[in-house]
Amino acid sequence: MEYIAHLALSAGIFIILSVSLNLINGQCGQFSLGHAGFWAVGAYTSAYYGVYHPLPIPDFLNLFIGCGIGFISAAVAGVIIGVPCLRLKGDYLAIATLGFSEIIRILIINLDVVGGPRGFTNIPRWSNLGWVYLWVLITVVICANLIRGTHGRAIISVREDEIAAESMGIFTFKYKSLAFILGAGLAGIAGALFAFSQQFLHPNGFTFMWSVIILLMVILGGLGSISGSIIGAIILTLLPEVLRLMGETIANWRMVIYSLLLILLMLLKPGGIMGKREFNLPFLREPR
Amino acid sequence: MILETRNITMRFGGLVAVDKMNIQLGDSDLVGVIGPNGAGKTTIFNMITGIYKPTEGDIFLNGQSVVGKHPAYITQSGIARTFQNIRLFKNLSVLDNIRLAAHSNTNYGLIANIFKTKTYKLEEERIKNEAFELLKIFDLDKSAYQLSKNLPYGQQRRLEIARALATKPKVLLLDEPAAGMNPNETKELSELIKWVRKEFKVAILLIEHDMKLVMNVCERIYVVDYGVLIAQGAPSEIQNDPKVIEAYLGQEAP
């Protein structure tokens, strides 16, 4: 039972991460490979608050403050990295954000207050499955609402055709930054929830590989689709567990199986499971 | 005078793409820019809309200099354009293409967007109604929810003009609107252009290779060759200008 709860919890955190990365990569079309970096910033800053300066108030309020700190710190990191880097395009942006996330990780390793290479321990357990899924809901609602309004459409127009967007009176840099900063901030919330549910953080938990896996979730589900990102996050959280059930050797071939899965996907359904479509309940659809 | 360029020059390294170009456009004028391939016509458009910053010269919109401003700012001040190779937002619906162009006329903030407040709902309603009105005019309202990439070519061209008009411009720049159209569609298009000018009270500057269309709709024509203005005037004057004939057909053998 605890095992299933733990899986559900990681799935929830990965849903927040993939939906927020989808905002940057899928909807705004900016190829970011630094999501684990923002995740780490959110996790470590909120954990720092939880360990050193918790307020004498009920746990759930502290959790909200922790999530707020995670959001703000990751969003600030998003401003610092985004404003100079968003002038780059495609591969160059990917390399720059990748470099950034590694810088964050190395910085954490060298910071003794947060445990350095030994890991950050004694983080209070303020979060649980319910809180995680409340934040999943908040994240999904924010992203879904945003994308239907004029600001979200402006974000998508950047992906579709930047020059045309500018010629339609849209300040593209503003919306690229918005997507990047909001995406980073939401990853920070995922970090806070991760810290307060695992109670232990280690720099190796935020390597470049995790950025790739989050990106894989988004691509598997369909770049640009929120429902796709959710599906992708669930599949890639459960897949290693299923493989583990099938035996040690198969579990060790995890990354190979991921790549095969991705190649298969590219051949059969190049747009991902959902493509750019959304799974919509009738009452959520735009009235026609 | 709504739009005026004064000696705008564009150099790409050693190449002078456009040299000291002076173009004037009065209120609700319909003016054509013609010239052989590579003459610099689209470069002129790119300078006016802010995609390129002219190396020299000045551009005035309603008496105010807009040279070197951000393209979005220039659009918001009243210059809209279409593109030679259609640049629609392909994976968005026809309706969304129009709504995007109304972005700068949409008055609600990010917070209202995320929380779907009342202002958001009212504004979205208004934008949607306005978009449908526009689509009806262009006979595209039936395909409002289709992805714009799925429209037939002629309709995509029409949608691009509709989208440009949705930004509520004072000046409309059309870059080869008849490219790839058959004679019938071209004929319809020339009627549409005349009608748009009257109905929306915009000044139109148009680049076109289809001489029939240009001679038919334009009141005044600028002829450009190798980045230099070689002639300007009414269609009938242009047709008999020896310099123009030379640019298009070459010189007579001595």
Side-chain angles (χ1 to χ4, degrees):
Chain A
M1 202 53 219
E2 207 169 298
Y3 172 66
I4 291 170
H6 180 78
L7 267 185
L9 198 138
S10 339
I13 284 165
F14 279 117
I15 289 172
I16 300 180
L17 286 167
S18 64
V19 168
S20 58
L21 185 66
N22 177 49
L23 185 65
I24 304 173
N25 275 28
Q27 274 147 347
C28 195
Q30 304 303 307
F31 197 171
S32 164
L33 264 179
H35 224 52
F38 298 121
W39 185 24
V41 169
Y44 270 89
T45 48
S46 58
Y48 181 83
Y49 164 76
V51 171
Y52 293 108
H53 305 290
L55 295 176
I57 46 174
D59 284 358
F60 76 93
L61 282 178
N62 259 329
L63 173 67
F64 267 83
I65 293 174
C67 287
I69 288 171
F71 179 86
I72 290 167
S73 56
V76 168
V79 173
I80 294 168
I81 183 76
V83 170
C85 286
L86 283 173
R87 292 171 206 283
L88 305 173
K89 285 197 175 86
D91 312 352
Y92 301 101
L93 179 66
I95 298 288
T97 47
L98 172 89
F100 152 78
S101 72
E102 280 302 293
I103 289 171
I104 294 285
R105 202 172 62 85
I106 307 250
L107 200 71
I108 291 168
I109 290 177
N110 287 294
L111 270 181
D112 239 10
V113 266
V114 292
R118 278 167 287 120
F120 200 6
T121 49
N122 291 328
I123 302 166
R125 186 175 169 83
W126 288 338
S127 171
N128 58 34
L129 198 58
W131 290 120
V132 168
Y133 275 87
L134 177 70
W135 279 104
V136 168
L137 191 71
I138 293 173
T139 308
V140 172
V141 167
I142 286 178
C143 289
N145 280 357
L146 175 69
I147 232 61
R148 287 195 181 163
T150 194
H151 298 86
R153 284 196 293 266
I155 287 172
I156 295 180
S157 77
V158 175
R159 171 191 79 196
E160 290 295 313
D161 193 324
E162 214 174 317
I163 289 180
E166 286 186 341
S167 300
M168 290 301 118
I170 292 156
F171 287 95
T172 49
F173 189 73
K174 180 176 150 193
Y175 288 99
K176 272 197 259 182
S177 314
L178 171 66
F180 201 79
I181 293 165
L182 188 61
L186 291 173
I189 290 181
L193 291 166
F194 182 71
F196 295 132
S197 10
Q198 303 279 347
Q199 297 175 273
F200 174 72
L201 296 174
H202 194 275
N204 284 351
F206 302 100
T207 52
F208 157 66
M209 255 348 271
W210 285 104
S211 293
V212 174
I213 288 172
I214 300 165
L215 183 66
L216 256 173
M217 292 170 179
V218 177
I219 291 175
L220 180 72
L223 262 174
S225 164
I226 296 172
S227 9
S229 304
I230 298 171
I231 295 170
I234 293 172
I235 291 178
L236 283 192
T237 318
L238 297 185
L239 190 66
E241 301 306 317
V242 174
L243 294 179
R244 212 196 309 277
L245 291 178
M246 291 160 78
E248 186 95 353
T249 22
I250 294 179
N252 286 341
W253 286 75
R254 188 166 66 108
M255 289 322 286
V256 178
I257 291 170
Y258 279 10
S259 342
L260 284 177
L261 197 73
L262 209 64
I263 292 169
L264 257 171
L265 183 84
M266 290 300 155
L267 290 174
L268 300 175
K269 225 168 174 331
I273 294 171
M274 294 295 288
K276 283 192 168 55
R277 279 163 301 144
E278 293 290 352
F279 176 75
N280 261 350
L281 296 167
F283 66 92
L284 284 174
R285 260 187 218 129
E286 191 188 359
R288 292 192 172 178
Chain B
M1 202 63 58
I2 183 126
L3 180 72
E4 189 181 0
T5 72
R6 277 189 210 150
N7 293 324
I8 51 170
T9 301
M10 187 76 219
R11 287 196 201 94
F12 296 109
L15 176 84
V16 185
V18 174
D19 193 19
K20 296 201 179 75
M21 191 64 58
N22 290 300
I23 286 178
Q24 278 148 11
L25 199 63
D27 296 316
S28 65
D29 268 3
L30 215 173
V31 175
V33 178
I34 61 171
N37 284 330
K41 305 180 295 293
T42 301
T43 308
I44 297 174
F45 269 30
N46 283 344
M47 281 192 282
I48 295 175
T49 52
I51 293 171
Y52 295 155
K53 188 178 185 297
T55 337
E56 278 162 40
D58 223 335
I59 300 165
F60 291 94
L61 177 68
N62 254 341
Q64 280 198 321
S65 174
V66 291
V67 77
K69 292 267 170 34
H70 192 276
Y73 174 86
I74 292 176
T75 307
Q76 289 180 7
S77 353
I79 299 179
R81 72 173 294 181
T82 66
F83 294 89
Q84 189 174 353
N85 41 349
I86 305 176
R87 277 176 179 267
L88 289 169
F89 304 119
K90 293 191 191 71
N91 291 308
L92 289 180
S93 70
V94 171
L95 178 65
D96 278 345
N97 267 275
I98 303 285
R99 285 197 284 201
L100 257 167
H103 174 77
S104 45
N105 299 321
T106 313
N107 298 312
Y108 58 81
L110 180 63
I111 301 298
N113 191 157
I114 289 174
F115 291 102
K116 288 199 171 177
T117 59
K118 205 171 167 202
T119 356
Y120 164 89
K121 280 178 186 145
L122 288 173
E123 279 289 293
E124 278 295 303
E125 183 83 22
R126 179 178 70 82
I127 295 294
K128 194 173 172 182
N129 290 338
E130 283 181 15
F132 263 102
E133 265 172 47
L134 196 63
L135 286 175
K136 225 168 250 160
I137 291 172
F138 284 83
D139 200 19
L140 289 163
D141 54 320
K142 281 179 204 77
S143 26
Y145 291 99
Q146 269 186 40
L147 293 189
S148 62
K149 66 177 173 192
N150 294 340
L151 289 182
Y153 187 80
Q155 287 187 18
Q156 289 194 13
R157 284 259 173 227
R158 277 219 301 275
L159 175 59
E160 223 194 3
I161 298 175
R163 187 181 68 170
L165 286 169
T167 64
K168 304 203 168 141
K170 300 182 201 101
V171 181
L172 182 61
L173 309 182
L174 302 175
D175 198 346
E176 295 199 24
M181 283 189 170
N182 64 32
N184 245 342
E185 287 172 321
T186 309
K187 214 169 152 195
E188 271 175 42
L189 181 76
S190 55
E191 293 310 309
L192 181 74
I193 291 172
K194 284 182 192 164
W195 185 84
V196 160
R197 194 239 324 227
K198 223 170 67 196
E199 194 67 20
F200 291 87
K201 297 189 179 62
V202 287
I204 295 178
L205 187 64
L206 122 138
I207 293 176
E208 191 45 74
H209 276 303
D210 190 311
M211 285 304 145
K212 225 171 167 182
L213 179 95
V214 178
M215 297 300 164
N216 181 6
V217 300
C218 295
E219 293 146 352
R220 211 146 44 78
I221 293 171
Y222 289 97
V223 190
V224 184
D225 192 21
Y226 291 110
V228 184
L229 191 68
I230 56 169
Q232 59 171 306
S236 52
E237 293 166 31
I238 293 295
Q239 274 166 325
N240 301 316
D241 194 305
K243 268 189 183 159
V244 177
I245 296 168
E246 192 191 313
Y248 271 92
L249 301 175
Q251 244 170 331
E252 216 172 310

